[in-house]
Amino acid sequence: MKSNKLALLAFAALVGAGSLISSCKKDDVKNQTPTPPPTKMTLYDTLGGTTMVADPASPGKMIEKGRLAIRGVVDSSIFVIAGDPKMQPYFTKLLAEVGAGNLTGFAALSESFTTFVATATGAKNFTYTGMNMKDAHDPAKNGRMAQKADAADFDIFVGDIVIGAKKNGVPDEIIGRLGTILNSVKGDVVQK
Amino acid sequence: MKKNQNKYCFVIDSESININEPMKKKKLFRIVVVVSAITLILFGTLVVHIAMVTNPKDKPHYGVQLSRIDFKTPLDSLQANEVSAFVKSIKGVGNTMYNYQYHNLVFSHQVEIISGQEVYEKLVAEKHVDATRFFMTPEEIAKTAKCPVMTEKSVLMSLAHQVQLYFL
């Protein structure tokens, strides 16, 4: 009789444990979060994304790898633009020498344009706070624009960016993606 | 009874006016002080924020100026390399780029160490090149268009300039 009771208890324990294990398994399946589909890498991610690296231009400071790569392209492009007389009317501050203690045109443009491109390529930690491209290139809304830009000038500008990117060793595939992004604002920039 | 009630009400109102008048003034004074303090704190925070965000010394290329030297005759690659190497060897000069299409040399330099004019004079004195230094007068800069990403005349930038002027 006693052994029957023990056998019954053992059986009940086995069934109970079995049901607990099986229910746990079911719960695991139920609670398992579905694996998110792989997100498409942005151009910013391709260029290094948010990985922090030492900033060669600012000793002791860190910078996102994606931003550093974009700044390299932007800085090279600014050199090209500064040497291009056709772009001179649009970037006069670049070569206007300032006194010590003032922000130079190069530093200001490098910072602003890097932020603009970084944001456009998918950076999440920066915000471009300037005017939208349409208003920024409309002399009626932006007094700093002496004249409306035409398609030829825009193409020269993009060409200078490409030269700068090539000087910086950026692969053609990435230059193509960058060109697509720049051309996406052509309709807003070209107003003549 | 009605008369008494009216009298009673009058007395209460009168007392309440007399008692609350200084309290109201005190309360109003407190509100003014608190609002002023909050406004002052918020303004202070804004100033500190602007000072931190717009401090030019925090920019990666702080003090880096671009200058250009235009050559009257095109340079071949050997001459371009020689000129670039010489300019780059000058203390305070960073990068250089010779533009073959327009035969000019763009170089970056630290304005606190050397000016573009000094670099140009050293190059002419050492290499005897036939070149002119490109520069724009303030009048020319004011007349011509500027890059639209430089929002220097915005209200925020004006405030930032003031903050930099007085606090940095």
Side-chain angles (χ1 to χ4, degrees), chain B residues 113-132:
Chain B
I113 299 173
I114 194 162
S115 71
Q117 182 65 25
E118 286 170 326
V119 174
Y120 165 74
E121 285 167 4
K122 282 188 180 207
L123 176 66
V124 171
E126 184 71 25
K127 298 291 174 187
H128 307 291
V129 291
D130 192 7
T132 55

Side-chain angles (χ1 to χ4, degrees), chain B residues 103-119:
Chain B
H103 39 90
N104 58 40
L105 180 81
V106 177
F107 59 95
S108 62
H109 56 100
Q110 286 284 344
V111 282
E112 288 176 355
I113 299 173
I114 194 162
S115 71
Q117 182 65 25
E118 286 170 326
V119 174

Side-chain angles (χ1 to χ4, degrees), chain A residues 55 57-58 61 71 75 78-80 82-86 88-98 100-112 128 130-131 136-137 142 144-146 167, chain B residues 56-68 95-99 101-102 104 106-109 111-112 114-117 133-136 140-141 143-153:
Chain A
D55 186 350
S58 304
K61 289 190 178 175
R71 196 181 71 195
D75 289 354
I78 291 174
F79 266 74
V80 179
D84 187 345
K86 288 173 187 164
Q88 185 55 37
Y90 297 97
F91 296 94
T92 52
K93 285 240 167 178
L94 267 184
L95 296 165
E97 198 152 322
V98 298
N102 289 309
L103 191 64
T104 63
F106 173 64
L109 181 59
S110 171
E111 180 80 1
S112 304
Y128 171 71
M131 297 171 87
H137 293 85
N142 181 8
R144 292 171 294 113
M145 278 295 288
K167 279 182 183 289
Chain B
K57 288 176 183 173
D58 280 345
K59 306 284 181 195
H61 297 311
Y62 171 72
V64 177
Q65 170 75 52
L66 284 195
S67 290
R68 197 175 95 193
N95 290 321
T96 61
M97 192 204 76
Y98 181 75
N99 189 322
Q101 191 179 356
Y102 301 108
N104 58 40
V106 177
F107 59 95
S108 62
H109 56 100
V111 282
E112 288 176 355
I114 194 162
S115 71
Q117 182 65 25
R133 186 181 163 238
F134 176 87
F135 64 92
M136 295 189 78
E140 284 174 319
I141 294 167
K143 269 193 286 183
T144 52
K146 288 138 192 113
C147 176
V149 293
M150 292 189 211
T151 54
E152 289 186 1
K153 284 185 180 174

Side-chain angles (χ1 to χ4, degrees), chain B residues 21-89:
Chain B
E21 195 64 33
M23 280 180 74
K24 273 184 183 174
K25 278 185 181 174
K26 205 174 176 183
K27 203 173 179 182
L28 193 70
F29 178 73
R30 272 185 191 169
I31 289 168
V32 168
V33 168
V34 168
V35 167
S36 302
I38 290 171
T39 308
L40 203 67
I41 290 167
L42 288 176
F43 181 74
T45 309
L46 180 68
V47 167
V48 170
H49 172 74
I50 289 173
M52 287 173 73
V53 170
T54 64
N55 189 351
K57 288 176 183 173
D58 280 345
K59 306 284 181 195
H61 297 311
Y62 171 72
V64 177
Q65 170 75 52
L66 284 195
S67 290
R68 197 175 95 193
I69 294 170
D70 295 341
F71 294 87
K72 290 185 178 164
T73 51
L75 305 183
D76 59 34
S77 59
L78 278 177
Q79 291 171 316
N81 287 343
E82 189 185 340
V83 164
S84 294
F86 174 76
V87 170
K88 212 168 180 175
S89 70

